[in-house]
Structure formats: structure tokens, C-alpha cells
Amino acid sequence: MDLQLTVQTTNLGFDYDIELHSWHQKLRAYRVFGTKSKELLEGGLGLGLNFITQFESGDEWLAQIPEQYISITDAFPEHQYQLLWLAANSEQAAQLLLMRPLLLVLICEQYPIDNEKALALSHLGQRDILNELGYDNAKATLKFIDKLTLKFERDLELKHVKKQLDKRTCRYKIFNHYKTINYVALSLDNKYPFLTCTKFGMTIASKNKLERGPLRACLADTLALGIELGINEPATRIGQLSSLDELERLHQQWIERRNDIRRVASRPVDADKVYPKLIPSEQNITAIENYNELFTEGIAQKHCIAIYHSRIIAGQYCVFTMQQPQRVTIGVKVNKLINMLELDQISGISNTIATNETREIVYKWFERVKKIYKQGFDDEIELKA
């Protein structure tokens, strides 16, 4: 029985509807115009068949097609109709769809509007198909394809595969030692090819799910640090790591080394001067007393508090640290002309906002020290909390 289905594409702005015939009628399809004879559809539809269920008899029409074929082709909506047309019209194409569907997808990628050309190509041997499409056709190519564990949920997955198979580079050969090849492995190879086949690269690739943003940021920054520090072959050093945790530790080590170098290079001429004691410390809130402490505070808290050095030396600013209940840096402006203090900042690590509890403690401390400052602070006496 030829269960015919009409897809009303004129409602989408086209000047024709699509007439789809049944699986038993080889999935023939036509463009049906209102003013002239219908035309045979020479290629694919360019969209998946899931939209068919919204039409009358759509579910019944889809039910004619073997379920395993629908399941395989669902991953490639742009080529789904053409893939099924090939399987309906050729036993060889149907077998290829079951055995190595990616080869049939690559054919459709090359000939999306020429079913007859795609059909002729599907009748060739698998290595001949690869050769005709411009890909490397060694036995190793087919082994590479069989190792892929991709779901093709992203357009990039197919693009990465095509890049690997290019006969001009045969990049896929670098994956010879991989038992399976997932999207993470291909994506990492595309962005950081020097990591492929390294200990670190294979460790990262073993994780099917990975937050690529943080990884890429850490990788890029670590590489830049290695180059800045003059590390011999920093990429090789990274490739020898065993985990993302080791990368983060190496990143931190190189940050500290760079900061040590910068500290020496940018050390102000008056760095050895002791800071004026204008405001009393407490047990939990202690004053920064010199440039070294100020610079270290900036590194520890990941902010730029060190830029206040000149103002502190001039008696215009004071910096304090608090350990509990939250590690914060406290900045206080000093106006000697009007004998006034102003609480300027309460900054957590990376300038995060302090908690309500922390702010309340700082506010109470600040009210106490304001009174003492106005009365005239004796730097030989520390305030008792």
C-alpha cells in the first residue's frame, strides 16, 4: 500500500508542497505546484522527519520505515530523508547505514541535492567511497571511524571528523593508540593539538563531560605563563600532567613565580619604609605594616590592593586584614585635614562581596576606631576588642 503524505510547505513560504510516498514505494518525493506539473525531488529535504508527526497520518507514515533506520538517522536531521531514501532504494546502502552510517552521511554531505549520484557512490566499496569523497582511504581510516563514540548532537562533531579524515593531513592517525574517541578528544585536538596522545590529553579525553570553558582558560593562561617565564617547552610540560588538578597546581606555581619576578621588578623605591600607624589593630583585624605585606595580601586575595602603597606612605590610606568569619581585606581612607576616616572597601578573595556577618563585624570595629582616631591614636597602644 502506498501511504502518501503531503507536507504543506507552502505554509512556510515555499511555492510548492512536498508529496512523500511510502517506504514500500522507495520514499519517492515530489514538489507539487498549484499551477504546473509536479517535479521529482532530486535530493534531500534539508530537515528531519520529526515534524511529520504534526500532519494527519504522519505517525502512520513514519511507522512504515524500519525503526532501526529511524533511530540511526535521527542524529542527522539535515540528511535524514536522503539517508532513508538511499536505504529504501539500495540493499547495499541499507547495509552501509547499519554497519558504518557515517560513510553514508559523508556521501549525503557531498551530494545533498543529487540522490542518484549519492546512490551510485553508496554501491562502491567503503575505501573507494572515502577516496571518491577526498578522504584518506587506508584501512586505518575505517578503524578510526569505528572508534568514534560521537552522538552528533553538535554540527562541530561532523566537522571535526571530516577534518581528521582529510587525505592531505591524515590527522586521524595520531589517535591510533586510543581505544575510543569521543567529542572531548576531537575538540581538544582541534584547539590544542599538542595535547593529543599525551598523558594529560588522554586523561582529559577520558572524561565524557567536561566544562570546557574553565579548562581552556586554565590551559591558555598556563601556556602564556610558561612562555613569559621562559620555561623550556611548556606545552610538553603540560602534556606530562596526569589530571586537571595537576594543571591547576602547575598554573598556580607559575603564577607565584611570575609574581615573584614582578615584585622585584616593580618594587617601589620606598618599599622598605614602615607604614604609618594611624588606626589601631585588633586581634582579628590587623594592619598591613609594609609594602611586602601589602603585595602578599594582593596575591593571596587575588586583587590589586598594592596600588595603594603611595597613598599609605603619605598617610592617606590604611589597609587591614581580617581572618574570621571571612577572609577579607579592609581599606580605609584618611583625611587628615578634617580629621576624618571613611570605610572604603571590604573585599573578599577576587574582590567578592563580604557576607552580612562580616560587614557587621567590620562596621562595629570601624565605629570604635573612628572615635579613637578623633581623640588621637597612640601607636604604642593596641585596641582591645
Side-chain angles (χ1 to χ4, degrees):
M1 183 181 78
D2 183 13
L3 182 60
Q4 186 175 304
L5 182 70
T6 298
V7 180
Q8 297 172 335
T9 50
T10 48
N11 293 339
L12 302 176
F14 294 90
D15 58 352
Y16 57 83
D17 290 329
I18 298 292
E19 180 182 290
L20 294 173
H21 290 252
S22 70
W23 173 261
H24 304 291
Q25 294 297 318
K26 308 295 185 182
L27 290 185
R28 290 197 312 273
Y30 297 89
R31 300 183 191 89
V32 180
F33 300 88
T35 57
K36 61 179 181 178
S37 300
K38 62 184 181 183
E39 298 175 351
L40 182 69
L41 187 68
E42 303 90 349
L45 289 175
L47 68 167
L49 297 181
N50 58 339
F51 77 97
I52 284 177
T53 57
Q54 65 185 287
F55 297 102
E56 185 177 353
S57 302
D59 289 325
E60 187 180 356
W61 187 89
L62 280 175
Q64 306 171 87
I65 303 173
E67 187 176 348
Q68 58 183 335
Y69 293 164
I70 293 289
S71 177
I72 292 171
T73 58
D74 271 341
F76 310 98
E78 183 180 351
H79 301 302
Q80 187 171 26
Y81 166 74
Q82 190 175 25
L83 289 167
L84 292 170
W85 184 92
L86 290 169
N89 284 272
S90 166
E91 181 61 30
Q92 283 177 266
Q95 288 300 313
L96 192 58
L97 183 62
L98 294 174
M99 292 174 57
R100 287 194 176 108
L102 183 60
L103 291 181
L104 214 56
V105 172
L106 292 173
I107 291 174
C108 293
E109 281 275 302
Q110 188 79 5
Y111 299 105
I113 58 173
D114 193 338
N115 284 342
E116 293 302 326
K117 181 65 176 178
L119 184 63
L121 202 55
S122 70
H123 289 166
L124 300 178
Q126 294 184 24
R127 291 171 63 186
D128 290 332
I129 291 173
L130 288 168
N131 186 58
E132 286 294 317
L133 294 175
Y135 300 119
D136 190 55
N137 66 339
K139 289 182 179 180
T141 313
L142 297 177
K143 290 181 179 179
F144 168 81
I145 291 173
D146 291 341
K147 290 179 181 181
L148 295 172
T149 59
L150 306 176
K151 295 182 180 179
F152 295 99
E153 296 172 341
R154 318 165 183 82
D155 291 340
L156 274 177
E157 293 180 64
L158 191 55
K159 290 180 181 178
H160 286 332
V161 171
K162 291 164 71 174
K163 180 180 177 181
Q164 294 288 332
L165 299 180
D166 192 322
K167 66 169 59 176
R168 294 169 298 181
T169 59
C170 299
R171 178 66 185 175
Y172 72 89
K173 291 181 179 179
I174 199 170
F175 289 95
N176 284 346
H177 298 296
Y178 283 62
K179 293 182 180 180
T180 59
I181 305 164
N182 59 14
Y183 175 67
V184 175
L186 293 180
S187 181
L188 197 66
D189 183 69
N190 183 65
K191 187 71 175 179
Y192 301 105
F194 60 86
L195 289 178
T196 302
C197 248
T198 65
K199 189 176 182 180
F200 182 68
M202 296 183 80
T203 298
I204 296 300
S206 69
K207 302 179 184 297
N208 285 317
K209 291 185 178 180
L210 193 68
E211 293 188 17
R212 291 185 298 279
L215 170 64
R216 287 179 176 176
C218 192
L219 264 175
D221 201 32
T222 305
L223 278 171
L225 283 166
I227 294 170
E228 181 182 346
L229 293 170
I231 302 294
N232 185 37
E233 297 185 358
T236 301
R237 176 72 181 88
I238 293 172
Q240 294 168 345
L241 303 175
S242 301
S243 67
L244 184 55
D245 287 341
E246 287 191 6
L247 174 66
E248 290 173 345
R249 286 197 293 272
L250 179 65
H251 178 252
Q252 189 58 39
Q253 288 172 10
W254 286 359
I255 283 179
E256 291 171 0
R257 190 185 301 185
R258 181 198 61 187
N259 287 342
D260 287 342
I261 294 171
R262 286 183 176 180
R263 186 193 315 222
V264 173
S266 62
R267 186 177 176 83
V269 293
D270 55 358
D272 294 327
K273 288 186 177 180
V274 177
Y275 289 160
K277 290 186 178 181
L278 305 176
I279 304 173
S281 296
E282 290 186 358
Q283 185 175 359
N284 188 37
I285 302 178
T286 57
I288 296 289
E289 297 183 348
N290 53 55
Y291 176 77
N292 287 342
E293 290 184 9
L294 187 71
F295 189 90
T296 301
E297 178 72 3
I299 293 174
Q301 290 292 86
K302 299 181 180 179
H303 53 46
C304 54
I305 197 68
I307 65 173
Y308 291 92
H309 168 74
S310 297
R311 293 174 62 185
I312 298 172
I313 285 290
Q316 299 169 356
Y317 205 87
C318 294
V319 176
F320 293 79
T321 65
M322 186 170 83
Q323 304 298 325
Q324 299 294 334
Q326 179 186 1
R327 178 71 168 85
V328 293
T329 306
I330 304 165
V332 179
K333 292 180 180 179
V334 180
N335 190 328
K336 291 182 177 181
L337 294 177
I338 59 175
N339 200 34
M340 182 177 174
L341 301 180
E342 179 185 346
L343 187 57
D344 183 47
Q345 60 176 300
I346 309 171
S347 303
I349 190 168
S350 299
N351 289 313
T352 53
I353 298 173
T355 64
N356 290 336
E357 180 186 8
T358 297
R359 289 201 299 271
E360 188 64 29
I361 292 172
V362 174
Y363 293 155
K364 289 180 179 179
W365 164 80
F366 188 62
E367 288 302 315
R368 292 194 294 270
V369 299
K370 276 200 304 185
K371 294 177 182 177
I372 295 175
Y373 179 76
K374 288 183 178 180
Q375 295 170 359
F377 171 55
D378 184 350
D379 65 8
E380 297 297 325
I381 303 173
E382 292 294 300
L383 182 66
K384 303 297 182 183

